[in-house]
Amino acid sequence: MRYLFTPTYFNHVALFFIEQRWRLLIWSAFAFLLFLFLERQIEDSTPNILIWLALLILFSALQALILSSFIFFFQSLTSIKAQRGVLYRFYCVIEWCEAVIFTLLLPFPTLVFLYAIYIKS
């Protein structure tokens, strides 16, 4: 049986985007700070567009954080270094758990933001 999302596949994707990891992490931190600044500016008489902009910034920051952590987790597979024995199986299990978690986490901020738009409209 062939799986669509494997640790090896995620490793290849992470290596493709490896130059972007620090840029995504810094952008995420900047976006969180911008969201906190906008949150302080928002009051009762704030237009809805500014509230949606603040939420878009928040979810973009979460998405960038998840993408950068994805790259950091999968930039090298530990199971490749431990070729045999108990450690190899242990690392494979950990990598598969990470693959399952990131398969669920990667689309999550975007889906939650789209759900918020759907519920509000």
Side-chain angles (χ1 to χ4, degrees):
M1 175 190 269
R2 295 192 63 181
Y3 295 103
L4 187 58
F5 301 112
T6 65
T8 308
Y9 174 75
F10 281 165
N11 175 251
H12 293 302
V13 172
L15 290 177
F16 184 75
F17 291 108
I18 199 158
E19 289 89 23
Q20 308 298 324
R21 62 186 170 175
W22 289 109
R23 197 170 312 150
L24 283 168
L25 194 59
I26 291 169
W27 193 90
S28 176
F30 171 73
F32 277 124
L33 291 174
L34 182 62
F35 171 76
L36 291 175
F37 173 74
L38 282 176
E39 187 182 36
R40 290 191 177 269
Q41 300 300 319
I42 294 175
E43 296 178 6
D44 293 333
S45 62
T46 303
N48 280 339
I49 191 71
L50 188 59
I51 294 171
W52 283 107
L53 178 65
L55 287 175
L56 176 65
I57 290 169
L58 176 65
F59 285 110
S60 297
L62 286 171
Q63 188 71 56
L65 182 64
I66 289 172
L67 286 173
S68 65
S69 63
F70 168 81
I71 294 169
F72 277 106
F73 270 87
F74 286 102
Q75 68 184 352
S76 67
L77 296 178
T78 315
S79 65
I80 293 173
K81 296 172 188 156
Q83 291 293 327
R84 303 265 185 254
V86 177
L87 280 179
Y88 173 75
R89 285 187 295 246
F90 177 71
Y91 290 140
C92 284
V93 168
I94 289 175
E95 289 166 359
W96 272 101
C97 291
E98 289 172 353
V100 169
I101 289 170
F102 275 105
T103 300
L104 298 174
L105 273 181
L106 283 170
F108 190 70
T110 304
L111 292 176
V112 171
F113 183 70
L114 292 175
Y115 180 71
I117 290 173
Y118 175 74
I119 290 299
K120 187 64 178 170
S121 61

